[in-house]
Amino acid sequence: MKHNKISAWMLTASMLAALLSGCGSNQTPPADGGPAAQADPEENYETGDASLDDPRNQNEIGENELLVVSFGTSYNDSRRLTIGAIEQAMEQAFPDYAVRRGFTSQIIIDHVKSRDGVSIDNVGEALDRAVENGVKKLVIQPTHLMDGLEYNDLIEEAAQYSDAFEQIAIGKPLLTSDADFQAVMQAIIDATKTYDDGETAICFMGHGTEAASNSVYAKLQTMLTEAGHTNYFIGTVEASPSLEDVLAAVQKSGCKKVVLRPLMIVAGDHANNDMAGDEEDSWKTAFENAGYEVTTVLSGLGELEAVQSLFVKHAQAAMDTLA
C-alpha cells in the first residue's frame, strides 16, 4: 500500500471579548467559558417522515468517497433539510465521489433506529464500510461549527484508519478562517433581514463548549457589532455568553421585540426545547417573562445555501491536498 497521509486543518479562534451592544447601547458580557454537554435524546413525538431522508449508508461506494460527518439529530425534517441538504450539495459538487453519512452521537443513532427503524452509521461503522468497499481515496468533511472537542475526536478516530486507505484528508469546520466568519455572518444577516426593523433584537442560540474554541461566539458577536448590526446578539445554551448575558444585553438595548434562531447546523432538541420550548427555563419563556413579544425560527444553519456552499468549499480544499 502506498504511503498514507492525513491532512487536517485546525484553527483556534483568537479569544475576543463579546461586545453585546444593541438598539442603542454598548455592553460587554463576562469572559467565555463553561461546561460542554451533548444534546439530550429527543422524546418520541412527531418530528417528520424519516423515510424522506436518505441515511446514505449504501455500499458499492467506489474508490473515491466523501464522508460527511455530523453530530446528528433525530428530528427527521430538520435532518433532511440541514444535514441532508449539505450532503446533497456535496453530491452535486463532486460527482466523482460517493457521498456517505456518519454521525458522532450514538444516542441519536440509537434513538432513530428504535423509533423509526432507520440505520445511520456512526463514524467507525462508516469507516469500516469504506474499507470493506475498497475505497482508496477518502475525504472526510465534518459539519461541525468549530474546531472543538468533537472535531479533534474525529481526527483521532480517522487516524486509526490511516493504513486502510491510500489517501485520506479531513476538511475544516464551518468557522475556521476570517473569510468563513465573514461568510457566516452575512448568511445569518441575510436570513433574518425581514425582522431587522430597528426595534427587534435578533438573538442566535449556539451550543457552546468547554474548549477554547468557544471563543467563536464572541468573535462572531464582535464582527456583527463592528459591522453596525448592534441589534444582533449571540449566546449559548451550554457555555458563555449565557441566556442571562443575552437577556441583560437585550434589556439594555432598547429593543421591543425578540426573534430567536439557533446558531447550530440543525434545529433539533436544543432549538425546539431549550430555545423555543414552553418550559420555564427556555429562552422563549425567559424573554416572554421579561415582557417581550417573541418569534421563534426553527431553522438550522444547514438550511442556508451559503453555509452549504462553505462546507463544499472546505471539502474541495481537502481534496486539493491529495495527490
Side-chain angles (χ1 to χ4, degrees):
M1 181 171 290
K2 298 180 181 178
H3 178 69
N4 310 298
K5 68 175 182 177
I6 295 181
S7 301
W9 298 264
M10 293 177 290
L11 174 69
T12 301
S14 57
M15 299 295 290
L16 296 173
L19 300 175
L20 291 180
S21 64
C23 305
S25 74
N26 294 300
Q27 306 298 327
T28 303
D32 288 339
Q38 291 189 345
D40 293 330
E42 294 92 347
E43 299 297 332
N44 286 293
Y45 45 75
E46 178 60 41
T47 66
D49 187 350
S51 68
L52 299 177
D53 178 52
D54 183 357
R56 289 183 171 82
N57 58 2
Q58 302 89 348
N59 292 310
E60 299 182 3
I61 294 171
E63 293 187 354
N64 300 332
E65 178 185 347
L66 174 55
L67 176 61
V68 181
V69 174
S70 307
F71 177 82
T73 181
S74 65
Y75 281 73
N76 295 326
D77 283 344
S78 182
R79 187 170 67 251
R80 172 174 53 84
L81 295 172
T82 56
I83 294 170
I86 293 169
E87 293 164 343
Q88 187 173 14
M90 296 289 184
E91 287 183 335
Q92 294 174 350
F94 308 113
D96 294 334
Y97 281 78
V99 176
R100 294 295 182 265
R101 171 183 293 177
F103 280 4
T104 60
S105 174
Q106 192 63 46
I107 292 176
I108 288 173
I109 291 171
D110 293 343
H111 189 70
V112 173
K113 177 65 173 178
S114 173
R115 186 191 62 194
D116 302 314
V118 174
S119 297
I120 298 173
D121 286 346
N122 61 33
V123 176
E125 290 168 339
L127 291 171
D128 288 340
R129 186 184 301 277
V131 173
E132 293 166 2
N133 279 269
V135 170
K136 295 181 179 179
K137 184 183 295 184
L138 175 67
V139 175
I140 302 174
Q141 178 56 55
T143 65
H144 301 142
L145 191 73
M146 65 185 75
D147 167 17
L149 301 176
E150 284 191 34
Y151 183 65
N152 291 319
D153 287 345
L154 173 62
I155 292 174
E156 291 178 3
E157 187 165 7
Q160 298 174 22
Y161 288 77
S162 61
D163 292 333
F165 307 102
E166 293 184 7
Q167 294 177 301
I168 178 171
I170 303 176
K172 301 175 184 178
L174 183 66
L175 292 173
T176 301
S177 69
D178 288 344
D180 295 339
F181 278 87
Q182 186 66 40
V184 171
M185 180 182 75
Q186 191 59 54
I188 65 176
I189 291 170
D190 290 343
T192 54
K193 59 186 178 182
T194 57
Y195 301 103
D196 193 1
D197 58 4
E199 60 179 24
T200 299
I202 301 172
C203 303
F204 281 86
M205 185 191 79
H207 186 277
T209 176
E210 63 184 4
S213 55
N214 193 72
S215 61
V216 300
Y217 300 108
K219 179 171 181 176
L220 192 58
Q221 177 70 69
T222 299
M223 292 178 64
L224 284 161
T225 302
E226 291 180 347
H229 301 285
T230 56
N231 59 320
Y232 278 72
F233 303 89
I234 295 176
T236 70
V237 67
E238 296 286 356
S240 177
S242 66
L243 166 60
E244 291 74 19
D245 297 327
V246 176
L247 178 57
V250 172
Q251 288 174 323
K252 294 178 181 179
S253 72
C255 293
K256 300 177 181 179
K257 296 179 291 184
V258 171
V259 171
L260 302 177
R261 183 163 178 153
L263 191 70
M264 304 176 182
I265 299 302
V266 304
D269 183 69
H270 282 308
N272 282 270
N273 295 308
D274 296 310
M275 188 192 80
D278 293 323
E279 295 80 2
E280 189 63 30
D281 59 349
S282 75
W283 283 42
K284 174 176 175 284
T285 299
F287 277 102
E288 287 178 340
N289 288 344
Y292 292 96
E293 175 187 334
V294 180
T295 299
T296 59
V297 181
L298 290 170
S299 297
L301 294 177
E303 294 189 37
L304 304 180
E305 290 186 10
V307 170
Q308 298 164 18
S309 297
L310 193 53
F311 279 125
V312 168
K313 181 179 178 181
H314 287 182
Q316 181 66 68
M319 292 175 187
D320 291 344
T321 69
L322 301 178

